[in-house]
Amino acid sequence: MKTISVFPLAASTDWVDDLENALDASMQTQRAIRGEFYPLFAFSPMTEPANPDAWEPLGYLPQDLFLISIERSWDKKILRALAQLEREGMAVAHATAAAAPLVIIDEAGLIADVYDQMAAAELTVFTKTGDDVDSMSFFFIRGEAAVRAFDRELRFFSRPDVG
């Protein structure tokens, strides 16, 4: 599996302008590095960039991870990896229409607010998958141990022989 670049997002990153700019910069950087981009974007929320004048991926696994998928095949891989984390005892919650959400994504707020709500609810993982083929899916992973475990599982479920 090729490595997915993880980019820093400052604690002040909002859901509209800042995130749109981050997605565009991530896409452009991926294209420049590998000539293509994954339909999966990875960010390290509440992380200041090493060089504020350049959009550069991190060289290490982050403390927290925020993923945006724009393709349902990636949703499936991510959800399989997260199901394994849940089997290992990590607290996972999925936003559904049937249940009152433990975490609310407020598009007028900050991305960091989601992680604050997750901490209050003692959640390690929170997901909100897209409703249709054109919707974005959001995956929030909190804590270094969870990020490391997720990285391990996603690598496994992304192997061609596992698919």
Side-chain angles (χ1 to χ4, degrees), residues 28-78:
Q28 297 303 326
T29 302
Q30 287 185 49
R31 280 188 175 139
I33 292 172
R34 42 173 86 84
E36 63 180 352
F37 76 94
Y38 282 131
L40 179 67
F41 301 90
F43 300 101
S44 175
M46 299 152 309
T47 303
E48 294 298 326
N51 179 356
D53 296 326
W55 183 255
E56 299 171 332
L58 300 177
Y60 56 88
L61 278 177
Q63 172 74 28
D64 299 306
L65 188 61
F66 171 43
L67 299 169
I68 299 173
S69 167
I70 58 172
E71 190 174 276
R72 300 300 78 100
S73 65
W74 272 101
D75 288 6
K76 182 179 175 183
K77 290 175 190 177
I78 292 167

Side-chain angles (χ1 to χ4, degrees), residues 7-23 43-49 55 66 68 106-115:
F7 295 92
L9 286 182
S12 61
T13 302
D14 67 35
W15 280 95
V16 183
D17 296 328
D18 295 337
L19 183 58
E20 185 176 313
N21 290 337
L23 287 168
F43 300 101
S44 175
M46 299 152 309
T47 303
E48 294 298 326
W55 183 255
F66 171 43
I68 299 173
D106 178 4
E107 292 184 9
L110 304 176
I111 292 170
D113 295 343
V114 172
Y115 289 87

Side-chain angles (χ1 to χ4, degrees), residues 62-132:
Q63 172 74 28
D64 299 306
L65 188 61
F66 171 43
L67 299 169
I68 299 173
S69 167
I70 58 172
E71 190 174 276
R72 300 300 78 100
S73 65
W74 272 101
D75 288 6
K76 182 179 175 183
K77 290 175 190 177
I78 292 167
L79 290 169
R80 288 176 72 190
L82 294 175
Q84 181 59 34
L85 297 189
E86 195 168 18
R87 285 190 290 276
E88 292 175 11
M90 294 189 189
V92 176
H94 306 282
T96 64
L102 295 171
V103 175
I104 297 170
I105 295 175
D106 178 4
E107 292 184 9
L110 304 176
I111 292 170
D113 295 343
V114 172
Y115 289 87
D116 292 341
Q117 292 177 63
M118 289 172 65
E122 298 181 351
L123 290 174
T124 304
V125 175
F126 177 70
T127 71
K128 183 177 185 308
T129 53
D131 298 328
D132 59 51

